[in-house]
Amino acid sequence: MATEQPDTFDEVNWESVRSSSGIVNLALKTKLMLITTLPLLALWLYDRVAVGQREKTFVQLGKDLGLSGPFETLGLTWNPAGLDYIFIFTIFLFAFYMILPLYENPRMTRYYWKEFKRNRPAVVSLVWLAFVFVVGIIGPLFIDKPEPDILKSFQPPVYATVDTANIVQCVGEASGGTCQGTWQHPLGTTGSGRDVLAFMVHGTTITMKIAFITTLIVALIGISVGTISAYSGGWVDETLMRMTDIVLAFPTLIFFLMITYIYGASLGLFIVIFATFAWGGAARYIRSKALSVAEEEFIDATRISGASRYRVVRRHIVPNTASSIITNLTLLVPGFLLAEAQLSFLGLGDAGLLSWGQLIASGRSSLEYAPWIILAPGFILFFTILAFNFLGDALLDALNPEAESEAEK
Amino acid sequence: MTEPILSVRNLKKHYPIKSGLLNRKVGATKAVDGISFDVHPGETVGLVGESGCGKSTAATSIIRLEDATDGEVIFNGGNRASETRREDGAHPNDVTEFNKRELKQFRRDAQMIFQDPSSSFNPRMTVGSAVAELLLVHGMDDKPRRRAIVEDLLERVGLSAEDYDRYPHEFSGGQKQRIGLARALVLNPDFIVADEPVSALDVSIKAEILSLINDLQEKYGMSMLFISHDMSVISKVCDRVAVMYLGEIVEIGDVDEIFENPQHPYTEALLSAIPTPDPRSRNEGIELKGTVPSPTNPPSGCRFHTRCHRVIQPPDMEFEQESWRAILNFRDRVAQEAIDLESIRENALGSQDSGSGVTDQAIKSQIRSEFGIPERIEEPTAETAVEEALDALVNEDTDSAREHLMSTFETPCETSKPEQIEHEPGHRSACHLNTSKGKTVELTPGDD
């Protein structure tokens, strides 16, 4: 037909086009993800297989690679736990699937930013959360874990004072029965003599771990269940939705207390239990949104292009449910942070954990004369949760171009 | 005669109705119930009918967005020409039997334009990438080449190359429909199904898009199946037209022939609905009363007889056509037990002057006037039957009213299904009025 119709725009020889494909054509984000995740996986396997219980992973790795010298000079003695691997993995996901696409599509990014920055509190919230994120990631590299030192208990923050009757020894100047705070402990110390600032920096990492890992688990299960349920229909839909009902009705707190009673509290347990029973609402929400998206003509238009079912769901249904997913998650995360703080405050968390909740709990009995132990982490927690809520609200508006175009009419 | 690019044979699409605890099938909605037609290379065939007649379902079944219940759709476009039937009678080019790989190839050769430009694009994708996605899906990994093809195409449909990076909500409806056209064209198909592509657009934009479709079709020599409810649109783009009513094709033929010489009363009614620009010409529109019957339980015989303005009268009677239609409507309503005596009584009360109760006579004449039955029917047998039925109705004896009406009034239209009659070569219709006028044709699956 091409020879008879010289006006045909571009005759594509599909047989030749079809032959070229393979790993070279993977998207940049997939390549980067593979490049970063594979070493992480290798390290995890190495940790599991070759490193003993009492050895530190990187010390052992240095020995095995014959690089003990350089590792020591760099101060690489880190001993990552299982949760750390998952945390790093989620950060890679976040960087390559959220941040990188924003960089790759500057037009889209500018558009979203224009919409987003109309909401001033949300911009402030974003800055705050970015700050918390950065502190959580790099803070522990510069600030050592606060060690208990009973001689330095209840030191007041800088410019504040405390009655010497309540403390063992004053690090700063003591005059007239009161002890002055010093820059050595800018935010004071706890009853066990731990530095509050260092405690909070390490607590930020815990907060980030909770936020990122629960988001990953809830998003993964929620999106899969919601979209599969909506797009398959029939008995698949029925089974998944009844499962969702069970998850929604499950008494997670009681289950968590029971597990804690048997195995002892740990952060990993908290995250896994609360996240695996929190996706019910998200799944149901996403399903209803996906059902309405699946009715749209552009889904038919994509199916008629010859696209696979996976492509239709991945490229067209999931992105169009994004606004509901993001809102749902930004409202879930503060819930987890609060739950952790509350359980810690009630003494149901891992007492050895350097989380904001544990810090608040440790100031519980000395609130009368050492309020800084509770106030500092309390404010930070409050602002972080507030920021998540503002952010969710603004993202919902910014990510919904349809609502915007309706409003312009 | 050349080989048709598409031949549809006895295509059916039934949606099962399920109910009960075990989801047992209790019936079916016969959206498309055995349609047959051909589309020849370079030709545009219109499919016209009112809402709910199954024309869009026919389109989605032909293009296989939905699986047909029965019948064949033989597509000879692409490199599929001159295939013959296999020994078991199946055709290698039967779209309804295509496997996954064949179906994907078919997608390259047959595309579709959608009705609603506002929902036919993913709001989170630039229009360029939405159009380019088809190339990607079919394996073109070369991003600059994809972009070049799509930019060129956007210019050909009257937009600019810079529009590639814009989002759907930044375009007007007409512009979006141009992009929809680009999307349908990007794989360079031989055949396009256009499902009411202009019905959501303003009148001025409509004309632009129609002429664009005409130009592009002429330029690239595509064949097209053009679906519309609007006869005036059909006359602008189509070479031939098939008129659908309740899942069946009632008339098919060349556009000129059908417009000048419609053979089916339903076609007449559709044509009379075209507005004329002359304000002085009194348009004698044929008004079709009532709604389209449910395709779940279609009327017996000719499916159009419940609304036909030229329904055939019983051989031994002679009426004004209008009162005959009125009597049939009355009969059908009685048969459905849908006569609300209470509201008729109220209406009768309202139209009479004195407020002292309603006589039976007043109710009967109220019923007559509501259905448009004259006070006195010329035909004595008919008059007696109607009068007896009315008496029974007033006495709230619906059964005997139905009995009287059903036994007296029966039209040949409801007893037997009309055959397809050929009037001119290629012009066929299915109406009892035409049985004597031409020769019966039967399209069989082997007839290709």
Side-chain angles (χ1 to χ4, degrees):
Chain A
M1 221 165 136
T3 46
E4 298 158 26
Q5 304 272 335
D7 230 351
T8 306
F9 32 96
D10 188 349
E11 190 62 26
V12 177
N13 184 354
W14 287 108
E15 298 315 311
S16 72
V17 159
R18 288 174 69 81
S19 59
S20 75
S21 71
I23 196 139
V24 194
N25 299 308
L26 285 176
L28 179 64
K29 53 188 177 187
T30 321
K31 279 186 207 160
L32 283 172
M33 197 66 212
L34 281 176
I35 290 169
T36 49
T37 309
L38 289 177
L40 187 70
L41 196 68
L43 186 66
W44 177 72
L45 283 173
Y46 171 78
D47 197 354
R48 290 296 300 258
V49 178
V51 182
Q53 285 283 320
R54 290 171 186 285
E55 283 133 8
K56 287 188 167 176
T57 313
F58 272 84
V59 175
Q60 180 72 24
L61 186 69
K63 270 186 211 153
D64 286 354
L65 294 175
L67 291 170
S68 290
F71 271 32
E72 231 160 90
T73 39
L74 285 170
L76 260 179
T77 55
W78 191 37
N79 186 26
L83 214 53
D84 294 313
Y85 290 107
I86 304 175
F87 181 47
I88 294 170
F89 176 72
T90 56
I91 289 176
F92 286 154
L93 272 181
F94 177 70
F96 300 141
Y97 286 85
M98 293 279 289
I99 308 295
L100 190 67
L102 288 179
Y103 174 74
E104 278 181 329
N105 303 311
R107 235 185 78 82
M108 188 182 74
T109 311
R110 266 200 302 278
Y111 173 75
Y112 286 149
W113 177 245
K114 198 186 95 210
E115 296 300 317
F116 181 78
K117 74 177 177 196
R118 287 184 191 178
N119 191 333
R120 287 291 160 80
V123 176
V124 177
S125 303
L126 187 68
V127 172
W128 170 252
L129 288 178
F131 171 72
V132 170
F133 176 73
V134 171
V135 169
I137 301 292
I138 63 170
L141 300 180
F142 297 104
I143 296 173
D144 289 334
K145 274 190 181 176
E147 294 302 331
D149 182 352
I150 204 68
L151 292 176
K152 290 181 182 171
S153 64
F154 297 124
Q155 294 299 316
V158 63
Y159 302 129
T161 55
V162 70
D163 198 323
T164 40
N166 296 318
I167 59 173
V168 182
Q169 198 181 34
C170 187
V171 178
E173 272 177 47
S175 58
T178 54
C179 175
Q180 281 281 320
T182 60
W183 278 106
Q184 217 175 326
H185 301 289
L187 292 178
T189 60
T190 65
S192 55
R194 281 181 159 131
D195 182 63
V196 171
L197 183 64
F199 204 128
M200 274 171 43
V201 168
H202 283 267
T204 311
T205 313
I206 305 287
T207 302
M208 283 293 116
K209 275 183 192 171
I210 296 173
F212 273 83
I213 300 174
T214 52
T215 304
L216 175 75
I217 296 176
V218 172
L220 210 64
I221 305 179
I223 294 172
S224 311
V225 171
T227 48
I228 290 172
S229 193
Y231 202 70
S232 303
W235 64 269
V236 177
D237 183 24
E238 197 68 24
T239 315
L240 289 176
M241 278 303 111
R242 294 301 78 79
M243 242 170 76
T244 309
D245 289 342
I246 293 171
V247 163
L248 279 171
F250 198 83
T252 315
L253 182 65
I254 295 171
F255 182 67
F256 175 72
L257 294 181
M258 203 174 78
I259 296 289
T260 309
Y261 180 70
I262 300 170
Y263 298 105
S266 80
L267 181 63
L269 212 59
F270 169 82
I271 290 177
V272 168
I273 290 177
F274 274 81
T276 43
F277 287 101
W279 55 265
R284 200 180 262 185
Y285 202 40
I286 290 162
R287 174 180 172 269
S288 67
K289 181 82 188 176
L291 275 177
S292 73
V293 172
E295 288 294 308
E296 301 265 351
E297 258 178 8
F298 68 82
I299 298 296
D300 276 346
T302 313
R303 282 174 56 211
I304 213 162
S305 74
S308 61
R309 182 179 275 224
Y310 171 76
R311 190 180 178 86
V312 172
V313 173
R314 170 78 182 74
R315 296 271 163 196
H316 297 273
I317 292 185
V318 172
N320 281 290
T321 56
S323 56
S324 26
I325 297 170
I326 287 173
T327 328
N328 199 286
L329 289 178
T330 43
L331 292 177
L332 263 178
V333 168
F336 288 121
L337 298 183
L338 269 183
E340 195 277 334
Q342 285 160 348
L343 287 172
S344 301
F345 191 78
L346 294 174
L348 295 168
D350 177 4
L353 194 68
L354 295 177
S355 74
W356 293 348
Q358 287 298 340
L359 185 56
I360 294 173
S362 72
R364 186 177 42 189
S365 53
S366 52
L367 186 60
E368 213 176 302
Y369 51 89
W372 59 85
I373 303 172
I374 281 186
L375 283 181
F379 274 119
I380 301 291
L381 185 65
F382 173 73
F383 285 126
T384 306
I385 286 166
L386 202 63
F388 268 112
N389 283 315
F390 276 135
L391 191 71
D393 203 35
L395 282 178
L396 179 64
D397 290 342
L399 294 181
N400 201 346
E402 280 160 291
E404 192 50 43
S405 63
E406 290 292 318
E408 276 167 11
K409 276 174 196 167
Chain B
M1 200 159 150
T2 54
E3 190 183 40
I5 190 164
L6 180 88
S7 38
V8 177
R9 286 293 172 271
N10 200 24
L11 184 74
K12 287 181 183 170
K13 175 68 192 174
H14 296 180
Y15 294 102
I17 299 167
K18 290 173 176 171
S19 84
L21 207 59
L22 296 171
N23 262 348
R24 212 186 296 259
K25 194 182 154 191
V26 293
T29 302
K30 293 163 183 155
V32 176
D33 204 16
I35 61 169
S36 303
F37 63 90
D38 289 340
V39 180
H40 293 280
E43 184 186 43
T44 302
V45 174
L47 199 56
V48 72
E50 65 201 305
S51 313
C53 74
K55 52 192 194 304
S56 289
T57 311
T60 49
S61 305
I62 287 168
I63 204 103
R64 213 174 145 188
L65 265 178
E66 289 178 284
D67 285 324
T69 312
D70 194 20
E72 280 182 340
V73 176
I74 290 157
F75 180 71
N76 298 319
N79 303 318
R80 296 179 188 77
S82 313
E83 291 279 359
T84 47
R85 279 182 187 281
R86 284 191 287 260
E87 283 179 11
D88 57 352
H91 200 288
N93 293 347
D94 187 353
V95 176
T96 60
E97 300 292 331
F98 275 173
N99 63 28
K100 221 173 165 179
R101 191 181 55 81
E102 288 171 323
L103 193 63
K104 193 159 177 176
Q105 242 166 28
F106 170 65
R107 299 281 181 233
R108 286 212 294 269
D109 300 321
Q111 275 296 321
M112 186 158 175
I113 305 170
F114 291 88
Q115 176 176 5
D116 184 1
S118 64
S119 81
S120 61
F121 287 93
N122 184 343
R124 288 182 198 284
M125 224 179 200
T126 61
V127 294
S129 45
V131 177
E133 189 182 23
L134 278 83
L135 296 168
L136 180 65
V137 162
H138 287 277
M140 190 186 285
D141 300 314
D142 187 351
K143 202 172 175 181
R145 186 176 179 196
R146 285 202 305 259
R147 197 178 172 108
I149 292 176
V150 174
E151 282 181 348
D152 171 50
L153 197 50
L154 285 176
E155 281 171 2
R156 280 171 195 261
V157 295
L159 296 164
S160 72
E162 289 86 65
D163 291 332
Y164 186 100
D165 289 316
R166 295 171 69 191
Y167 285 89
H169 69 263
E170 298 172 72
F171 293 94
S172 70
Q175 286 173 319
K176 270 188 241 181
Q177 206 55 300
R178 284 171 192 270
I179 302 162
L181 205 55
R183 175 167 62 191
L185 287 171
V186 70
L187 292 171
N188 205 0
D190 295 336
F191 175 65
I192 286 185
V193 173
D195 185 4
E196 306 221 25
V198 294
S199 62
L201 304 176
D202 293 345
V203 180
S204 56
I205 312 275
K206 199 182 265 192
E208 272 175 34
I209 298 288
L210 286 178
S211 74
L212 178 68
I213 289 177
N214 266 340
D215 289 351
L216 290 170
Q217 190 197 4
E218 224 162 90
K219 215 165 176 182
Y220 304 127
M222 295 169 302
S223 318
M224 186 152 19
L225 178 64
F226 193 97
I227 291 162
S228 180
H229 60 262
D230 187 346
M231 272 294 200
S232 61
V233 169
I234 292 282
S235 72
K236 288 204 184 81
V237 286
C238 297
D239 303 312
R240 285 197 302 133
V241 59
V243 180
M244 259 185 101
Y245 184 77
L246 215 56
E248 289 176 340
I249 290 182
V250 294
E251 183 162 10
I252 182 168
D254 287 344
V255 167
D256 300 337
E257 171 76 17
I258 293 228
F259 271 65
E260 272 164 33
N261 187 17
Q263 292 296 330
H264 198 281
Y266 183 60
T267 316
E268 279 174 18
L270 286 180
L271 286 172
S272 81
I274 301 177
T276 46
D278 183 2
R280 276 160 303 183
S281 84
R282 295 288 302 146
N283 195 345
E284 289 167 39
I286 301 164
E287 193 191 344
L288 293 182
K289 296 237 170 67
T291 50
V292 187
S294 157
T296 311
N297 189 14
S300 61
C302 171
R303 290 187 176 179
F304 187 51
H305 82 259
T306 55
R307 297 167 74 204
C308 183
H309 56 284
R310 279 170 59 188
V311 64
I312 299 172
Q313 306 180 358
D316 51 338
M317 294 186 204
E318 185 106 10
F319 303 95
E320 286 276 312
Q321 186 62 33
E322 222 168 288
S323 41
W324 171 232
R325 178 72 260 170
I327 291 169
L328 279 183
N329 286 351
F330 174 55
R331 183 201 72 174
D332 290 344
R333 285 295 288 275
V334 171
Q336 291 162 14
E337 303 192 14
I339 303 255
D340 183 2
L341 214 54
E342 208 46 52
S343 73
I344 288 171
R345 185 165 290 152
E346 264 170 40
N347 290 347
L349 195 65
S351 59
Q352 81 180 11
D353 302 329
S354 58
S356 57
V358 198
T359 57
D360 284 359
Q361 195 52 47
I363 294 175
K364 285 197 288 189
S365 59
Q366 181 67 24
I367 294 177
R368 276 183 194 250
S369 76
E370 276 184 18
F371 282 92
I373 304 170
E375 281 299 320
R376 227 192 124 91
I377 304 166
E378 302 289 317
E379 192 70 42
T381 32
E383 175 59 33
T384 331
V386 169
E387 196 58 32
E388 275 169 9
L390 285 172
D391 283 333
L393 261 187
V394 170
N395 297 326
E396 308 208 354
D397 185 3
T398 321
D399 286 338
S400 86
R402 182 170 51 213
E403 200 68 20
H404 281 297
L405 292 171
M406 286 311 223
S407 59
T408 322
F409 303 111
E410 192 180 56
T411 162
C413 291
E414 65 188 323
T415 47
S416 66
K417 211 169 172 55
E419 302 286 332
Q420 290 270 358
I421 307 291
E422 181 133 31
H423 306 280
E424 300 278 329
H427 182 188
R428 302 192 305 270
S429 75
C431 179
H432 284 298
L433 285 170
N434 303 332
T435 316
S436 53
K437 290 192 200 162
K439 65 176 176 33
T440 311
V441 285
E442 182 83 36
L443 274 180
T444 55
D447 190 22
D448 48 36

